[in-house]
Amino acid sequence: MRAYVARRLAQSLLVLLGVSFVVFFILHLTGDPALVLLPPDATAEDIREFREAMGFNDPFLVQYGRFLAGALRGDFGRSVRHDEPAFDLVAERMPATLELAGAALLIALALAIPAGIVSAVRRNTALDYVSTVVALLGQSMPTFWLGIMLILVFSVRLNLLPSSGRGTLEHLILPAITLGLFTTARITRLTRSGMLEVLNQDYIRTARAKGVGGPPVVWKHALKNAAIPIVTIVGIELGTLLGGSVITETIFAWPGVGRLSVQAIYNRDYPVVQAAVFLLSTTFVAVNLAVDVLYTYLDPRIRLK
Amino acid sequence: MTPPTPSATARALDLPARVSPTRREWVAFLRRLARRRTALFGLCVVVAVLVLALGAPWVTTWDPVEQDIGNRLQAPGSVDGSGGVHLLGTDQLGRDLLARIIFGARPALLVGFAAVAISGLLGLVVGLVSGYFGGWVDDVFMRLADIQLAFPFILLAIAVIGVLGPSLPVIIVVIGVSSWVVYARVVRSEALSIREREFVQAARALGVRDGRILLRHVLPNALTPWLVVATLDMARVIVIESALSFLGLGVQPPTPTWGGMLADGRVYISTAWWLATFPGLAILVTVLGINLFGDGLRDTLDPRLKV
């Protein structure tokens, strides 16, 4: 057990090292980070001085070492636009993004798991077809279109819910549904296929033969075993949710990391972009590490591998 | 493509499936696919979108970029001065919405096919090498895959496109280069299991070189799951392309893109509902068609595949 956790931890650190390199490299994509960071009307003299001041003339690996040392202390440089440390700007917005992603995940789980179970247990009934079709639509619908349509119906036409901003629970409803729909569809399909697989196993037949009937078989015997792939996908879906927040936050003017990053890209404020990408990736890696550890409780076989 | 029925001798010796399926096997495969109504429906939708995209100038009489300010924001079904009907209305610059949606299929499909070609090829090579050789090569590639997956995809894509500037080649390469992981994992697991089969061991014992084994024995078997992944990935890439143009980091105006039209429609949401509604429906129908076809393909070819 301890060896497994240690190995996963080492793996996660390696991944984060790779992430830090890619984040560092974003600025060097064109070959000249000074031109990326400075406004287009900067003079040759400005560019030369800026290069010197930022250490862009140093060897590539020295620059990366300096970036990594900074990143570990939460120092990604100053925001060009807000004249504040980039990390602080992003960290300030983090709670809003986590709130939105959390709400979306909650909605997704609350809808998808019952829908998936019902679909599997009442296979090939009208209920199953409805849930399957809705899941398929949900998986094919672009997030940003759903968001705009929800605004059109619930904000513009019915005037029921606010279309932008953050604060009350009402503000959270539309963005959370928008962000959560794709995940809901995915988890529904996964729960359905997982349950179908488990319900065909020998131990379920044994339980039924012993006289355990109806709902207890589903809840006690089947769901526990079908839960394993669901737990994994929840970790992975969090990545989808954090990434999707870029679009959803833009549509609903939600003051989170996603919207901040999009604005930062428009403003060529790359220290903020770097801090945002790094922080979101770190969150994702940390959650998946936690999921993997949780997993060993659900499925002891994994520890032995 | 589909596992062909081997002869009795071949079965007994567990010889590899013949590399190129005969015409009869193709027909059998198509027949099985055609029996799945939803898959067939999906295929029809995809073909229809493809035909509309290729024949766009002949399908619609309206010019998708020609402005007509006098006729701006006309509701669906309205008729302009010269008697032309705007079936889906006009946008904020008086351009015909239907024409723009039809022409908008072009960048979506172009980016879709090109990006899938790049990521599919990358993933295929990585998966084959990783699964067949194993060892440190496999370790390196799988750690790279973990790193790739740690990024919020859209955010990394827009950051890179922001630095390099939004142009068609940049968009295709960025999506293509960062989508190889699913392909690699599926092909790798296939290669891993085929490597242990007797026919590969036999070939190796006979002194057949690795490159030849990979091409003749492993690749044909890995192509089936690869094709399923490629189909479903195409749907994802089209959504990403529209998301990028929605954020203004896709193919640039005046070229009509579904995402760009949605972004315009969002501005006029309270006065002109059709502007945001129809381009989104175009994305939904296209992506749904591809997903239905992909699901059917998976169920026909390899029902156990988890993608």
Side-chain angles (χ1 to χ4, degrees):
Chain A
M1 177 72 197
R2 199 172 289 168
Y4 172 79
V5 174
R7 208 178 63 226
R8 281 292 289 116
L9 193 68
Q11 240 172 45
S12 302
L13 288 176
L14 201 66
V15 167
L16 283 181
L17 196 68
V19 167
S20 75
F21 184 77
V22 175
V23 170
F24 162 77
F25 195 69
I26 291 175
L27 269 187
H28 292 259
L29 276 170
T30 56
D32 191 351
L35 289 182
V36 173
L37 287 170
L38 286 176
D41 56 350
T43 63
E45 180 67 12
D46 290 341
I47 295 174
R48 206 182 51 77
E49 270 173 24
F50 186 72
R51 243 180 232 149
E52 194 61 42
M54 299 291 287
F56 288 148
N57 293 327
D58 294 340
F60 189 72
L61 280 178
V62 172
Q63 293 188 48
Y64 171 62
R66 200 160 44 217
F67 173 83
L68 185 63
L72 287 176
R73 283 180 280 115
D75 178 9
F76 289 86
R78 295 183 80 77
S79 156
V80 180
R81 184 161 175 103
H82 302 274
D83 200 36
E84 238 186 279
F87 181 84
D88 295 0
L89 268 172
V90 176
E92 256 166 46
R93 306 286 192 102
M94 206 62 182
T97 295
L98 292 180
E99 178 187 316
L100 181 57
L105 189 62
L106 218 63
I107 292 178
L109 289 174
L111 290 176
I113 292 181
I117 293 174
V118 169
S119 247
V121 175
R122 304 248 175 278
R123 195 184 179 183
N124 292 334
T125 60
L127 225 55
D128 180 23
Y129 293 138
V130 170
S131 133
T132 306
V133 168
V134 171
L136 197 67
L137 279 175
Q139 232 177 358
S140 306
M141 199 177 283
T143 322
F144 40 102
W145 185 62
L146 175 69
I148 295 172
M149 289 299 109
L150 288 176
I151 291 179
L152 180 63
V153 174
F154 292 99
S155 307
V156 177
R157 289 286 147 102
L158 301 176
N159 213 359
L160 276 177
L161 292 163
S163 65
S164 67
R166 174 183 181 227
T168 64
L169 193 62
E170 274 103 66
H171 285 93
L172 187 58
I173 296 174
L174 292 185
I177 293 175
T178 303
L179 184 58
L181 183 79
F182 185 81
T183 301
T184 310
R186 260 250 275 267
I187 299 181
T188 305
R189 296 184 74 167
L190 192 82
T191 308
R192 181 179 181 272
S193 66
M195 284 297 282
L196 279 177
E197 208 168 288
V198 172
L199 285 172
N200 278 329
Q201 297 287 326
D202 288 342
Y203 54 82
I204 297 292
R205 205 174 315 140
T206 310
R208 287 217 164 110
K210 278 165 56 189
V212 188
V217 171
V218 174
W219 293 109
K220 280 200 184 147
H221 297 256
L223 187 59
K224 218 172 179 177
N225 287 292
I228 294 166
I230 301 175
V231 172
T232 326
I233 198 102
V234 165
I236 295 168
E237 279 303 304
L238 191 88
T240 313
L241 292 174
L242 290 176
S245 68
V246 172
I247 307 262
T248 310
E249 288 179 5
T250 304
I251 297 170
F252 291 97
W254 185 266
V257 180
R259 182 158 172 262
L260 177 74
S261 329
V262 173
Q263 287 167 336
I265 288 166
Y266 294 150
N267 296 327
R268 308 173 69 80
D269 196 352
Y270 285 101
V272 174
V273 178
Q274 287 178 305
V277 175
F278 191 74
L279 221 64
L280 288 180
S281 305
T282 308
T283 312
F284 176 73
V285 171
V287 169
N288 274 286
L289 180 65
V291 165
D292 277 0
V293 174
L294 181 71
Y295 214 86
T296 58
Y297 287 102
L298 282 173
D299 190 354
R301 284 172 301 184
I302 297 198
R303 264 175 268 167
L304 303 172
K305 269 189 202 160
Chain B
M1 182 93 336
T2 121
T5 2
S7 71
T9 342
R11 253 198 319 267
L13 292 171
D14 196 17
L15 288 178
R18 263 161 302 151
V19 173
S20 56
T22 62
R23 231 182 101 212
R24 240 181 57 206
E25 284 148 2
W26 265 103
V27 172
F29 160 68
L30 289 177
R31 208 171 274 155
R32 267 194 296 159
L33 190 65
R35 231 176 286 145
R36 295 175 189 277
R37 295 264 172 72
T38 51
L40 206 61
F41 173 74
L43 184 63
C44 291
V45 170
V46 175
V47 170
V49 174
L50 203 62
V51 167
L52 283 177
L54 290 175
W58 298 279
V59 177
T60 171
T61 46
W62 295 103
D63 183 331
V65 292
E66 199 190 76
Q67 306 181 5
D68 178 9
I69 300 296
N71 269 317
R72 63 196 296 269
L73 298 177
Q74 294 296 307
S78 61
V79 182
D80 78 348
S82 54
V85 182
H86 293 290
L87 216 55
L88 298 183
T90 62
D91 72 356
Q92 73 281 8
L93 296 171
R95 299 172 294 196
D96 183 65
L97 196 62
L98 181 61
R100 289 180 63 73
I101 288 177
I102 293 173
F103 275 89
R106 292 179 156 194
L109 292 178
L110 181 61
V111 171
F113 278 114
V116 165
I118 293 176
S119 55
L121 200 64
L122 270 176
L124 185 68
V125 172
V126 169
L128 282 177
V129 170
S130 214
Y132 183 73
F133 292 107
W136 67 269
V137 186
D138 185 32
D139 281 339
V140 169
F141 279 134
M142 289 305 106
R143 286 300 83 74
L144 281 177
D146 288 343
I147 293 168
Q148 176 74 64
L149 289 180
F151 288 103
F153 182 88
I154 284 277
L155 184 53
L156 186 66
I158 58 177
V160 171
I161 292 171
V163 172
L164 294 177
S167 68
L168 195 60
V170 167
I171 293 160
I172 289 172
V173 170
V174 167
I175 299 179
V177 168
S178 46
S179 309
W180 57 277
V181 176
V182 203
Y183 298 91
R185 289 201 164 159
V186 168
V187 171
R188 172 180 175 270
S189 76
E190 202 70 20
L192 265 176
S193 76
I194 294 166
R195 175 177 81 165
E196 304 301 331
R197 298 273 296 277
E198 284 90 344
F199 64 84
V200 172
Q201 312 242 321
R204 210 181 283 149
L206 288 171
V208 181
R209 269 167 310 164
D210 286 331
R212 198 175 155 77
I213 295 180
L214 271 173
L215 273 183
R216 299 276 301 177
H217 299 290
V218 185
L219 179 67
N221 285 292
L223 272 182
T224 308
W226 180 90
L227 190 71
V228 175
V229 174
T231 311
L232 293 172
D233 197 44
M234 174 97 178
R236 193 190 62 100
V237 170
I238 287 179
V239 172
I240 288 172
E241 186 273 335
S242 2
L244 290 175
S245 23
F246 178 73
L247 292 172
L249 292 162
V251 177
Q252 294 298 297
T255 306
T257 55
W258 290 339
M261 295 163 75
L262 263 172
D264 292 341
R266 186 175 155 236
V267 178
Y268 296 91
I269 187 82
S270 48
T271 48
W273 58 268
W274 56 93
L275 279 191
T277 308
F278 294 121
L281 274 177
I283 305 174
L284 175 63
V285 168
T286 309
V287 172
L288 186 67
I290 299 175
N291 275 335
L292 284 173
F293 179 62
D295 281 352
L297 207 57
R298 178 194 53 207
D299 294 344
T300 313
L301 292 174
D302 193 353
R304 282 162 311 154
L305 194 65
K306 293 240 162 62
V307 283

